[in-house]
Amino acid sequence: MGKFVTFCIIAMQGNRDSLLNRCIPSVLAQQAQIDCLLLISNPGCHIDSTILTDIQNRLPDSSLLQIHTNDRTKNIAGSWNAGISHALSLAENPEETYIALLNEEDVWLPEHLSICLHSIPKFDVIVTNAIGTNTKGWLEEASTIQSLDHLLKKVPKIQSSRLCFRLSSILSAGLFDENLSNALVCDLLIRLLEIGAKIHSLEKKTASLKTV
């Protein structure tokens, strides 16, 4: 791998239809090409070989796809952390390695990665804006992170599919807290700010989220 490396990590939770028909196609449609598509599976969340072959056939290079089983806590935080740890084992330089997370039920717009990667060399974390849906229809998700004090008081809901971060920074912050059931991203951002990481919020909506 070269100096500047980008991983896309998808934690598979069992929504096969969304993964194949919405999530994966949105990664392949990115204007900025990834260096590795890393799928994290949990025990009991089996994807058969025909599906994996189908995903590989959609990639410009089948070697870009890697499958890794979550060997940590069996929850979403454990899945993300298993993926990040695996990316670390592949990365030559964590300081120049960038991780973008995507939930299997969410979709990136084609410019998502290119916008994130254009900004992230100056920062440690990029948080994009997004549009989401719920039972009441369309809604907009605000992304502004004003300060550590703002996060501590408001605890905004920020989805993982809106994040792109420097690998070395999230390692220094201690990864996602696997003991939490909610506010995972907010908790991580608080710890990143506490160690002096630079976080940049974008008003550009670059993701479509499935919210409840």
Side-chain angles (χ1 to χ4, degrees), residues 14-164:
N15 192 331
R16 170 173 154 173
D17 180 68
S18 180
L19 177 71
L20 290 178
N21 297 319
R22 300 179 70 250
C23 181
I24 296 291
S26 80
V27 174
L28 301 181
Q30 290 301 298
Q31 296 168 358
Q33 184 176 319
I34 59 172
D35 295 290
C36 181
L37 173 57
L38 182 53
L39 302 182
I40 307 301
S41 66
N42 283 297
C45 180
H46 175 69
I47 291 191
D48 59 52
S49 59
T50 58
I51 294 176
L52 295 179
T53 300
D54 179 49
I55 295 173
Q56 287 178 319
N57 289 339
R58 301 189 199 187
L59 291 166
D61 181 348
S62 61
S63 66
L64 296 179
L65 177 65
Q66 293 221 10
I67 312 296
H68 183 68
T69 301
N70 177 14
D71 52 3
R72 301 173 67 106
T73 308
K74 302 306 181 283
N75 55 24
I76 189 63
S79 294
W80 291 137
N81 288 344
I84 293 166
S85 297
H86 188 62
L88 176 63
S89 71
L90 302 173
E92 296 180 0
N93 183 1
E95 187 71 19
E96 296 294 336
T97 300
Y98 302 98
I99 305 290
L101 304 177
L102 183 58
N103 186 289
E104 67 181 3
E105 295 185 334
D106 296 337
V107 172
W108 285 338
L109 302 185
E111 64 271 25
H112 175 80
L113 276 181
S114 61
I115 289 176
C116 289
L117 296 177
H118 176 74
S119 300
I120 205 168
K122 302 175 185 177
F123 302 96
D124 299 294
V125 183
I126 300 295
V127 183
T128 70
N129 208 340
I131 294 175
T133 59
N134 61 15
T135 55
K136 297 180 180 179
W138 288 94
L139 58 96
E140 293 188 359
E141 299 284 349
S143 66
T144 303
I145 299 172
Q146 299 172 356
S147 64
L148 177 58
D149 186 60
H150 171 247
L151 281 177
L152 289 171
K153 287 182 177 179
K154 191 174 181 181
V155 191
K157 183 178 181 180
I158 302 173
Q159 297 84 353
S160 53
S161 296
R162 297 160 59 189
L163 292 182
C164 185

